PDB file of all heavy atoms in Angstrom:
ATOM      1  N   GLY U   1     101.276 104.976 141.722  1.00  0.00           N
ATOM      2  CA  GLY U   1     102.497 104.683 140.995  1.00  0.00           C
ATOM      3  C   GLY U   1     103.545 104.466 141.950  1.00  0.00           C
ATOM      4  O   GLY U   1     103.458 104.711 143.166  1.00  0.00           O
ATOM      5  N   PRO U   2     104.788 103.938 141.569  1.00  0.00           N
ATOM      6  CA  PRO U   2     105.786 103.550 142.458  1.00  0.00           C
ATOM      7  C   PRO U   2     106.587 104.716 143.019  1.00  0.00           C
ATOM      8  O   PRO U   2     107.105 104.630 144.091  1.00  0.00           O
ATOM      9  CB  PRO U   2     106.770 102.682 141.527  1.00  0.00           C
ATOM     10  CG  PRO U   2     106.497 103.087 140.162  1.00  0.00           C
ATOM     11  CD  PRO U   2     105.010 103.450 140.181  1.00  0.00           C
ATOM     12  N   GLU U   3     106.415 105.881 142.344  1.00  0.00           N
ATOM     13  CA  GLU U   3     107.133 107.039 142.784  1.00  0.00           C
ATOM     14  C   GLU U   3     106.438 108.301 142.234  1.00  0.00           C
ATOM     15  O   GLU U   3     105.868 108.152 141.177  1.00  0.00           O
ATOM     16  CB  GLU U   3     108.618 107.148 142.492  1.00  0.00           C
ATOM     17  CG  GLU U   3     108.884 107.033 140.937  1.00  0.00           C
ATOM     18  CD  GLU U   3     110.303 106.928 140.628  1.00  0.00           C
ATOM     19  OE1 GLU U   3     111.127 106.421 141.474  1.00  0.00           O
ATOM     20  OE2 GLU U   3     110.793 107.306 139.582  1.00  0.00           O
ATOM     21  N   PRO U   4     106.460 109.470 142.841  1.00  0.00           N
ATOM     22  CA  PRO U   4     105.888 110.653 142.318  1.00  0.00           C
ATOM     23  C   PRO U   4     106.349 110.965 140.896  1.00  0.00           C
ATOM     24  O   PRO U   4     107.560 110.971 140.579  1.00  0.00           O
ATOM     25  CB  PRO U   4     106.292 111.768 143.325  1.00  0.00           C
ATOM     26  CG  PRO U   4     106.597 111.098 144.620  1.00  0.00           C
ATOM     27  CD  PRO U   4     107.162 109.751 144.162  1.00  0.00           C
ATOM     28  N   ARG U   5     105.478 111.262 140.014  1.00  0.00           N
ATOM     29  CA  ARG U   5     105.769 111.479 138.614  1.00  0.00           C
ATOM     30  C   ARG U   5     104.634 112.346 138.014  1.00  0.00           C
ATOM     31  O   ARG U   5     103.503 111.912 138.253  1.00  0.00           O
ATOM     32  CB  ARG U   5     106.031 110.228 137.874  1.00  0.00           C
ATOM     33  CG  ARG U   5     106.450 110.520 136.384  1.00  0.00           C
ATOM     34  CD  ARG U   5     106.656 109.197 135.693  1.00  0.00           C
ATOM     35  NE  ARG U   5     107.106 109.337 134.229  1.00  0.00           N
ATOM     36  CZ  ARG U   5     107.309 108.408 133.463  1.00  0.00           C
ATOM     37  NH1 ARG U   5     107.175 107.103 133.897  1.00  0.00           N
ATOM     38  NH2 ARG U   5     107.627 108.650 132.219  1.00  0.00           N
ATOM     39  N   VAL U   6     104.894 113.405 137.233  1.00  0.00           N
ATOM     40  CA  VAL U   6     103.891 114.230 136.678  1.00  0.00           C
ATOM     41  C   VAL U   6     104.145 114.327 135.164  1.00  0.00           C
ATOM     42  O   VAL U   6     105.230 114.661 134.693  1.00  0.00           O
ATOM     43  CB  VAL U   6     103.825 115.585 137.234  1.00  0.00           C
ATOM     44  CG1 VAL U   6     102.758 116.443 136.537  1.00  0.00           C
ATOM     45  CG2 VAL U   6     103.689 115.539 138.674  1.00  0.00           C
ATOM     46  N   THR U   7     103.123 113.880 134.354  1.00  0.00           N
ATOM     47  CA  THR U   7     103.254 113.873 132.856  1.00  0.00           C
ATOM     48  C   THR U   7     102.179 114.700 132.258  1.00  0.00           C
ATOM     49  O   THR U   7     100.905 114.515 132.651  1.00  0.00           O
ATOM     50  CB  THR U   7     103.203 112.422 132.404  1.00  0.00           C
ATOM     51  OG1 THR U   7     104.139 111.672 133.073  1.00  0.00           O
ATOM     52  CG2 THR U   7     103.560 112.260 131.018  1.00  0.00           C
ATOM     53  N   ALA U   8     102.574 115.493 131.255  1.00  0.00           N
ATOM     54  CA  ALA U   8     101.592 116.191 130.363  1.00  0.00           C
ATOM     55  C   ALA U   8     101.348 115.553 129.206  1.00  0.00           C
ATOM     56  O   ALA U   8     102.197 114.834 128.559  1.00  0.00           O
ATOM     57  CB  ALA U   8     102.057 117.644 130.110  1.00  0.00           C
ATOM     58  N   TYR U   9     100.027 115.515 128.722  1.00  0.00           N
ATOM     59  CA  TYR U   9      99.627 114.814 127.495  1.00  0.00           C
ATOM     60  C   TYR U   9      99.048 115.939 126.494  1.00  0.00           C
ATOM     61  O   TYR U   9      97.867 116.283 126.540  1.00  0.00           O
ATOM     62  CB  TYR U   9      98.431 113.844 127.823  1.00  0.00           C
ATOM     63  CG  TYR U   9      98.974 112.553 128.405  1.00  0.00           C
ATOM     64  CD1 TYR U   9      99.362 112.475 129.733  1.00  0.00           C
ATOM     65  CD2 TYR U   9      99.278 111.425 127.591  1.00  0.00           C
ATOM     66  CE1 TYR U   9      99.888 111.241 130.301  1.00  0.00           C
ATOM     67  CE2 TYR U   9      99.873 110.268 128.144  1.00  0.00           C
ATOM     68  CZ  TYR U   9     100.086 110.249 129.480  1.00  0.00           C
ATOM     69  OH  TYR U   9     100.592 109.065 130.075  1.00  0.00           O
ATOM     70  N   PRO U  10      99.946 116.489 125.651  1.00  0.00           N
ATOM     71  CA  PRO U  10      99.430 117.388 124.684  1.00  0.00           C
ATOM     72  C   PRO U  10      98.455 116.780 123.638  1.00  0.00           C
ATOM     73  O   PRO U  10      98.689 115.587 123.376  1.00  0.00           O
ATOM     74  CB  PRO U  10     100.801 117.975 123.949  1.00  0.00           C
ATOM     75  CG  PRO U  10     101.842 117.425 124.838  1.00  0.00           C
ATOM     76  CD  PRO U  10     101.372 116.237 125.590  1.00  0.00           C
ATOM     77  N   ALA U  11      97.518 117.411 123.141  1.00  0.00           N
ATOM     78  CA  ALA U  11      96.732 116.813 122.133  1.00  0.00           C
ATOM     79  C   ALA U  11      97.465 116.531 120.817  1.00  0.00           C
ATOM     80  O   ALA U  11      98.017 117.487 120.318  1.00  0.00           O
ATOM     81  CB  ALA U  11      95.492 117.820 121.794  1.00  0.00           C
ATOM     82  N   GLY U  12      97.441 115.281 120.530  1.00  0.00           N
ATOM     83  CA  GLY U  12      98.050 114.929 119.235  1.00  0.00           C
ATOM     84  C   GLY U  12      99.581 114.765 119.300  1.00  0.00           C
ATOM     85  O   GLY U  12     100.299 114.577 118.340  1.00  0.00           O
ATOM     86  N   GLY U  13     100.201 115.025 120.609  1.00  0.00           N
ATOM     87  CA  GLY U  13     101.668 114.992 120.708  1.00  0.00           C
ATOM     88  C   GLY U  13     102.061 113.887 121.661  1.00  0.00           C
ATOM     89  O   GLY U  13     101.342 113.246 122.318  1.00  0.00           O
ATOM     90  N   ALA U  14     103.432 113.798 121.810  1.00  0.00           N
ATOM     91  CA  ALA U  14     103.976 112.867 122.702  1.00  0.00           C
ATOM     92  C   ALA U  14     104.020 113.312 124.128  1.00  0.00           C
ATOM     93  O   ALA U  14     103.979 114.530 124.474  1.00  0.00           O
ATOM     94  CB  ALA U  14     105.448 112.620 122.431  1.00  0.00           C
ATOM     95  N   PRO U  15     103.760 112.456 125.103  1.00  0.00           N
ATOM     96  CA  PRO U  15     103.669 112.797 126.591  1.00  0.00           C
ATOM     97  C   PRO U  15     105.060 113.406 127.030  1.00  0.00           C
ATOM     98  O   PRO U  15     106.159 112.991 126.415  1.00  0.00           O
ATOM     99  CB  PRO U  15     103.470 111.487 127.240  1.00  0.00           C
ATOM    100  CG  PRO U  15     102.917 110.624 126.286  1.00  0.00           C
ATOM    101  CD  PRO U  15     103.561 110.995 124.939  1.00  0.00           C
ATOM    102  N   ARG U  16     104.948 114.336 127.968  1.00  0.00           N
ATOM    103  CA  ARG U  16     106.231 114.963 128.379  1.00  0.00           C
ATOM    104  C   ARG U  16     106.215 114.978 129.935  1.00  0.00           C
ATOM    105  O   ARG U  16     105.208 115.397 130.560  1.00  0.00           O
ATOM    106  CB  ARG U  16     106.237 116.428 127.992  1.00  0.00           C
ATOM    107  CG  ARG U  16     106.351 116.550 126.449  1.00  0.00           C
ATOM    108  CD  ARG U  16     106.397 118.066 126.099  1.00  0.00           C
ATOM    109  NE  ARG U  16     107.623 118.775 126.588  1.00  0.00           N
ATOM    110  CZ  ARG U  16     107.876 119.982 126.388  1.00  0.00           C
ATOM    111  NH1 ARG U  16     107.115 120.712 125.575  1.00  0.00           N
ATOM    112  NH2 ARG U  16     108.897 120.593 126.953  1.00  0.00           N
ATOM    113  N   ASP U  17     107.218 114.477 130.572  1.00  0.00           N
ATOM    114  CA  ASP U  17     107.471 114.571 131.928  1.00  0.00           C
ATOM    115  C   ASP U  17     107.663 116.018 132.342  1.00  0.00           C
ATOM    116  O   ASP U  17     108.450 116.767 131.668  1.00  0.00           O
ATOM    117  CB  ASP U  17     108.668 113.740 132.436  1.00  0.00           C
ATOM    118  CG  ASP U  17     108.239 112.193 132.353  1.00  0.00           C
ATOM    119  OD1 ASP U  17     106.990 111.855 132.304  1.00  0.00           O
ATOM    120  OD2 ASP U  17     109.207 111.307 132.516  1.00  0.00           O
ATOM    121  N   LEU U  18     107.139 116.470 133.543  1.00  0.00           N
ATOM    122  CA  LEU U  18     107.229 117.806 133.990  1.00  0.00           C
ATOM    123  C   LEU U  18     108.033 118.080 135.102  1.00  0.00           C
ATOM    124  O   LEU U  18     108.143 117.144 136.028  1.00  0.00           O
ATOM    125  CB  LEU U  18     105.682 118.415 134.253  1.00  0.00           C
ATOM    126  CG  LEU U  18     104.779 118.238 133.073  1.00  0.00           C
ATOM    127  CD1 LEU U  18     103.421 118.865 133.470  1.00  0.00           C
ATOM    128  CD2 LEU U  18     105.325 118.975 131.792  1.00  0.00           C
ATOM    129  N   ALA U  19     108.640 119.189 135.225  1.00  0.00           N
ATOM    130  CA  ALA U  19     109.321 119.542 136.506  1.00  0.00           C
ATOM    131  C   ALA U  19     108.247 120.082 137.376  1.00  0.00           C
ATOM    132  O   ALA U  19     107.361 120.783 137.074  1.00  0.00           O
ATOM    133  CB  ALA U  19     110.313 120.685 136.176  1.00  0.00           C
ATOM    134  N   VAL U  20     108.504 119.685 138.693  1.00  0.00           N
ATOM    135  CA  VAL U  20     107.382 119.918 139.763  1.00  0.00           C
ATOM    136  C   VAL U  20     107.937 120.687 140.910  1.00  0.00           C
ATOM    137  O   VAL U  20     109.124 120.407 141.421  1.00  0.00           O
ATOM    138  CB  VAL U  20     106.802 118.685 140.294  1.00  0.00           C
ATOM    139  CG1 VAL U  20     105.764 118.921 141.242  1.00  0.00           C
ATOM    140  CG2 VAL U  20     106.177 117.762 139.163  1.00  0.00           C
ATOM    141  N   THR U  21     107.214 121.706 141.306  1.00  0.00           N
ATOM    142  CA  THR U  21     107.542 122.554 142.518  1.00  0.00           C
ATOM    143  C   THR U  21     106.392 122.308 143.437  1.00  0.00           C
ATOM    144  O   THR U  21     105.307 122.659 143.108  1.00  0.00           O
ATOM    145  CB  THR U  21     107.742 124.001 142.084  1.00  0.00           C
ATOM    146  OG1 THR U  21     108.872 124.064 141.081  1.00  0.00           O
ATOM    147  CG2 THR U  21     108.210 124.830 143.333  1.00  0.00           C
ATOM    148  N   ARG U  22     106.797 122.001 144.619  1.00  0.00           N
ATOM    149  CA  ARG U  22     105.649 121.886 145.724  1.00  0.00           C
ATOM    150  C   ARG U  22     105.478 123.371 146.222  1.00  0.00           C
ATOM    151  O   ARG U  22     106.353 124.065 146.460  1.00  0.00           O
ATOM    152  CB  ARG U  22     106.227 121.011 146.868  1.00  0.00           C
ATOM    153  CG  ARG U  22     106.439 119.553 146.526  1.00  0.00           C
ATOM    154  CD  ARG U  22     105.014 118.852 146.016  1.00  0.00           C
ATOM    155  NE  ARG U  22     104.059 118.823 147.125  1.00  0.00           N
ATOM    156  CZ  ARG U  22     103.866 117.946 147.956  1.00  0.00           C
ATOM    157  NH1 ARG U  22     104.506 116.722 147.948  1.00  0.00           N
ATOM    158  NH2 ARG U  22     102.832 117.903 148.872  1.00  0.00           N
ATOM    159  N   THR U  23     104.229 123.602 146.370  1.00  0.00           N
ATOM    160  CA  THR U  23     103.625 124.928 146.803  1.00  0.00           C
ATOM    161  C   THR U  23     102.877 124.659 148.085  1.00  0.00           C
ATOM    162  O   THR U  23     102.467 123.535 148.423  1.00  0.00           O
ATOM    163  CB  THR U  23     102.930 125.652 145.774  1.00  0.00           C
ATOM    164  OG1 THR U  23     101.601 124.956 145.628  1.00  0.00           O
ATOM    165  CG2 THR U  23     103.732 125.782 144.547  1.00  0.00           C
ATOM    166  N   ALA U  24     102.504 125.719 148.803  1.00  0.00           N
ATOM    167  CA  ALA U  24     101.744 125.696 150.008  1.00  0.00           C
ATOM    168  C   ALA U  24     100.344 124.928 149.674  1.00  0.00           C
ATOM    169  O   ALA U  24      99.682 124.368 150.559  1.00  0.00           O
ATOM    170  CB  ALA U  24     101.503 126.941 150.605  1.00  0.00           C
ATOM    171  N   SER U  25      99.777 125.286 148.452  1.00  0.00           N
ATOM    172  CA  SER U  25      98.487 124.847 148.188  1.00  0.00           C
ATOM    173  C   SER U  25      98.454 123.571 147.287  1.00  0.00           C
ATOM    174  O   SER U  25      97.394 122.999 146.970  1.00  0.00           O
ATOM    175  CB  SER U  25      97.799 125.938 147.325  1.00  0.00           C
ATOM    176  OG  SER U  25      98.508 126.181 146.142  1.00  0.00           O
TER     177      SER U  25
END
């Protein structure tokens, strides 16, 4: 993708962009 982006896909629902926190792992 052109830039980092994280999206959740609920079953039967609309996709949702997620807030992301980088961790050591």
Side-chain angles (χ1 to χ4, degrees):
E3 58 186 23
R5 181 181 180 184
V6 182
T7 307
Y9 283 82
R16 297 181 59 177
D17 286 347
L18 303 181
V20 179
T21 303
R22 295 298 297 268
T23 68
S25 60

